[in-house]
């Protein structure tokens, strides 16, 4: 008993320290590597040596260099050998070798709240066998800062790994453009309001006139404050997209030459990302005899991040099902957002959450079931705490209950409480001004947006 109590005391001290130190800035090191894992019988990738041995060496280098989040492509038939020697704590389960898998995997020091694999709708065999195996992209919402131990604040970035159609025939260019359009529209829907990192094998080069894929990705958002940037163009090419071809040797000792392996990123009002360094690191990935381990130069980028100065978020509660929504973009356009009315709908579970800002902006998510309840906040009354309870519905987790508490000690609740609840308190000096998460008729997943009072 005594031991238990002192353990408890130690734990709560640790929690307090954690809360006090909730990170609002940090660093992120990422690596993109095409690991040349096609079956040796199909493709040697022009890499000498035994593919299983090389895959084991790649895994041990991943462990040694300790990158935060590694994206691999062509991780097909030697996948187990890489995972055998790597030691990253969070790794995706393989989707299989050729002809079943996409070859895409992530090895990470950061945990994630959601992971999806998406197949390309278009492939082309014009110049290579892109339709042999179902290539595509992956989406992962990773917590780059777990924030406070009580989940009050958290910082997420949406990571996309991809392997686009190869080749330079016109059929390849068309397929590759379709691939990039597909990932761009997925990002527009599923990462609306969020910071994004896309890195992988684009099979695209700026210098080829007919190869429009990556130029369109950057152009579609350029000039906007949260537009997509190419870390190589930004850091090695002075922000100017090259029009002349400059192929890389492998290993490459200069970073000016262009490879198809690329890193794109964008910030959001919730988190600012800034690429600080860009390197080809093939010289760190060599066999014992000095030969390369892959026919691609691996790409390493170091990034700094910081929490938004005027909008932040809590962790999520509930399950990652339903359609993504985020009030962040709307809130970013409002100077000093302040809710004047809170309205919830609930019954057996939580049906909808809604608030109206003092400028009249109405933010509503969920369905029309349940019964409605609302309160009007006073001019100096703020919503500062929310309690959510989750439960199982049709085999999936969703939110069953919400209770809002204001600085005047008033509360508003809807739905039915369960045993599985969490309380989200706005950081000191901040209050709750909106929502993000996933919904259908009900609130599958919910998190809160905070702004300074
Ligand atoms: C924080 O969130 C994680 C992931 O959803 C959950 O497992 C954990 O119980 C939460 N902690 C608290 C104190 O609510
Ligand atoms: C990138 O970050 C890693 C981990 O912090 C560090 O070891 C490495 O030296 C950095 N690379 C550059 C080019 O600064």
């Amino acid at each position: 008993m005594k031991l238990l109590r002192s353990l408890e005391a130690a734990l709560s001290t640790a929690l307090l320290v954690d809360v006090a130190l909730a990170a609002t800035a940090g660093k992120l090191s990422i690596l993109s590597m095409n690991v040349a894992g096609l079956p040796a019988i199909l493709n040697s990738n022009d890499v000498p040596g035994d593919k299983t041995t090389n895959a084991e060496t790649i895994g041990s280098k991943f462990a040694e260099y300790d990158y935060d989040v590694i994206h691999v492509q062509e991780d097909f038939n030697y996948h187990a050998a890489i995972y055998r020697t790597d030691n990253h704590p969070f790794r995706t389960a393989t989707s299989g070798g050729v002809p079943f898998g996409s070859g895409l995997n992530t090895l990470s020091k950061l945990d994630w709240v959601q992971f999806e694999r998406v197949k390309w709708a278009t492939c082309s065999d014009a110049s290579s066998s892109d339709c042999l195996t179902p290539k595509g992209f992956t989406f992962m919402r990773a917590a780059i800062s777990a924030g406070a131990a009580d989940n009050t604040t958290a910082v997420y970035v949406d990571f996309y790994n991809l392997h686009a159609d190869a080749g330079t025939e016109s059929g390849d260019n068309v397929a590759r453009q379709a691939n990039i359009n597909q990932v761009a529209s997925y990002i527009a829907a599923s990462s609306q309001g969020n910071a994004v990192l896309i890195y992988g094998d684009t099979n695209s080069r700026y210098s080829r006139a007919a190869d429009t894929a990556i130029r369109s990705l950057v152009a579609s958002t350029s000039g906007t404050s949260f537009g997509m940037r190419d870390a190589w163009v930004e850091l090695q090419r002075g922000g100017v997209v090259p029009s002349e071809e400059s192929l890389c040797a492998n290993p490459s000792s200069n970073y000016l030459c262009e490879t198809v392996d690329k890193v794109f990123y964008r910030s959001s009002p919730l988190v600012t990302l800034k690429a600080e360094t860009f390197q080809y690191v093939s010289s760190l990935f060599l066999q014992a005899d000095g030969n390369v381990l892959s026919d691609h130069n691996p790409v390493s980028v170091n990034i700094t991040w910081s929490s938004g100065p005027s909008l932040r978020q809590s962790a999520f509660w509930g399950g990652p099902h339903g359609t993504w929504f985020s009030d962040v973009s709307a809130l970013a356009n409002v100077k000093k957002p302040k809710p004047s009315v809170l309205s919830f709908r609930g019954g057996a579970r939580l049906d909808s959450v809604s608030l109206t800002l003092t400028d009249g902006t109405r933010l509503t998510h969920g369905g029309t079931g349940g019964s409605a309840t609302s309160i009007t906040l006073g001019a100096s009354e703020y919503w500062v705490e929310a309690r959510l309870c989750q439960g199982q519905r049709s085999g999936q987790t969703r939110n069953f209950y919400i209770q809002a508490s204001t600085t005047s000690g008033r509360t508003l609740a809807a739905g039915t409480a369960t045993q599985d609840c969490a309380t989200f308190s706005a950081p000191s000096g901040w209050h709750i001004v909106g929502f993000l998460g996933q919904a259908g008729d009900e609130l599958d997943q919910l998190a809160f947006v905070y702004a300074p009072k």
Side-chain angles (χ1 to χ4, degrees):
M1 263 322 257
K2 197 156 178 211
L3 185 66
L4 256 181
R5 256 200 300 274
S6 55
L7 196 64
E8 247 169 37
L11 271 175
S12 63
T13 309
L15 278 175
L16 281 176
V17 167
D18 233 0
V19 169
L21 294 180
T24 53
K27 291 177 180 181
L28 206 52
S29 65
I30 62 166
L31 182 82
S32 188
M33 184 169 184
N34 181 315
V35 295
L38 285 164
I41 194 164
L42 284 181
N43 192 336
S44 73
N45 293 93
D46 299 321
V47 176
D50 172 62
K51 284 208 171 198
T52 302
T53 308
N54 287 348
E56 283 173 344
T57 308
I58 290 171
S60 61
K61 303 272 181 202
F62 285 168
E64 178 185 347
Y65 304 132
D66 211 27
Y67 299 103
D68 289 321
V69 186
I70 300 170
H71 283 174
V72 291
Q73 305 84 36
E74 281 191 35
D75 178 24
F76 292 116
N77 291 50
Y78 307 91
H79 168 79
I82 294 178
Y83 275 22
R84 193 152 55 236
T85 49
D86 168 73
N87 65 0
H88 281 76
F90 304 102
R91 309 188 296 193
T92 56
T94 179
S95 55
V98 173
F100 305 107
S102 68
L104 301 175
N105 280 305
T106 300
L107 305 87
S108 175
K109 287 165 74 178
L110 309 173
D111 199 359
W112 59 82
V113 294
Q114 191 173 0
F115 176 71
E116 308 286 345
R117 292 183 179 277
V118 183
K119 258 195 277 186
W120 298 132
T122 312
C123 62
S124 163
D125 283 335
S127 65
S128 52
S129 310
D130 286 288
C131 304
L132 170 70
T133 199
K135 296 203 291 187
F137 68 91
T138 64
F139 157 74
M140 174 182 284
R141 180 159 295 138
I144 63 168
S145 163
D150 64 356
N151 293 326
T152 285
T153 57
V155 183
Y156 301 94
V157 171
D158 291 348
F159 286 74
Y160 289 84
N161 184 6
L162 56 77
H163 192 184
D165 207 276
T168 52
E169 303 293 324
S170 77
D172 302 319
N173 287 332
V174 169
R176 187 157 53 246
Q177 181 67 63
N179 297 164
I180 296 300
N181 291 349
Q182 190 181 342
V183 74
S185 54
Y186 189 98
I187 290 170
S190 300
S191 294
Q192 194 263 106
N194 289 346
V196 169
L197 266 166
I198 313 171
Y199 52 109
D201 181 350
T202 68
N203 269 316
S204 185
R205 284 202 171 89
Y206 292 107
S207 51
R208 299 182 197 134
D211 182 353
T212 50
I214 47 170
R215 265 180 280 140
S216 72
L217 180 70
V218 176
S220 65
T221 56
S222 78
T224 63
S225 48
F226 299 108
M228 208 65 84
R229 291 158 179 263
D230 177 325
W232 175 71
V233 171
E234 184 179 23
L235 296 169
Q236 299 298 340
R237 306 295 308 215
V240 180
V241 168
S243 53
E244 269 171 43
E245 194 164 72
S246 55
L247 298 181
C248 289
N250 184 17
S252 176
S253 52
N254 83 76
Y255 310 134
L256 286 173
C257 60
E258 179 176 16
T259 68
V260 296
D261 307 277
K262 301 199 177 287
V263 177
F264 304 94
Y265 72 100
R266 78 169 188 210
S267 301
S268 86
L270 297 173
V271 51
T272 303
L273 301 179
K274 174 82 183 71
E276 303 288 351
T277 63
F278 177 102
Q279 294 187 327
Y280 298 128
V281 289
S282 2
S283 55
L284 297 181
F285 285 87
L286 297 176
Q287 302 181 36
D289 64 4
N291 273 309
V292 292
L293 286 163
S294 165
D295 53 344
H296 288 242
N297 283 289
V299 176
S300 156
V301 173
N302 283 358
I303 295 164
T304 50
W305 64 267
S306 54
S307 290
S310 50
L311 294 176
R312 290 184 188 168
Q313 75 163 100
S314 72
F316 294 99
W317 206 245
H321 318 290
T323 305
W324 173 254
F325 64 85
S326 169
D327 293 336
V328 166
S329 303
L331 288 163
N333 292 323
V334 179
K335 199 165 184 256
K336 283 222 155 277
K338 169 161 187 336
S340 57
V341 181
L342 310 183
S343 311
F344 304 145
R345 299 188 72 92
R349 295 171 301 279
L350 178 60
D351 292 278
S352 83
V353 292
S354 174
L355 61 78
T356 307
L357 300 176
T358 48
D359 75 348
T361 305
R362 185 137 198 248
L363 309 169
T364 301
H365 309 286
T368 52
S371 47
T373 174
S374 85
I375 53 170
T376 299
L377 305 187
S380 56
E381 183 180 18
Y382 294 90
W383 178 13
V384 287
E385 190 176 279
R387 185 167 176 77
L388 292 174
C389 299
Q390 63 187 16
Q392 294 287 306
R393 173 72 174 164
S394 311
Q396 293 186 326
T397 305
R398 64 173 68 168
N399 284 291
F400 278 47
Y401 177 80
I402 189 170
Q403 178 181 288
S405 306
T406 75
T407 44
S408 307
R410 296 196 299 154
T411 60
L412 180 73
T416 304
T418 69
Q419 297 300 309
D420 193 4
C421 308
T423 301
F424 303 89
S425 307
S428 166
W430 294 57
H431 64 137
I432 298 172
V433 297
F435 312 95
L436 66 171
Q438 298 184 39
D441 289 344
E442 301 180 0
L443 272 306
D444 297 274
Q445 189 192 48
L446 193 58
F448 301 97
V449 184
Y450 304 119
K453 279 183 198 157

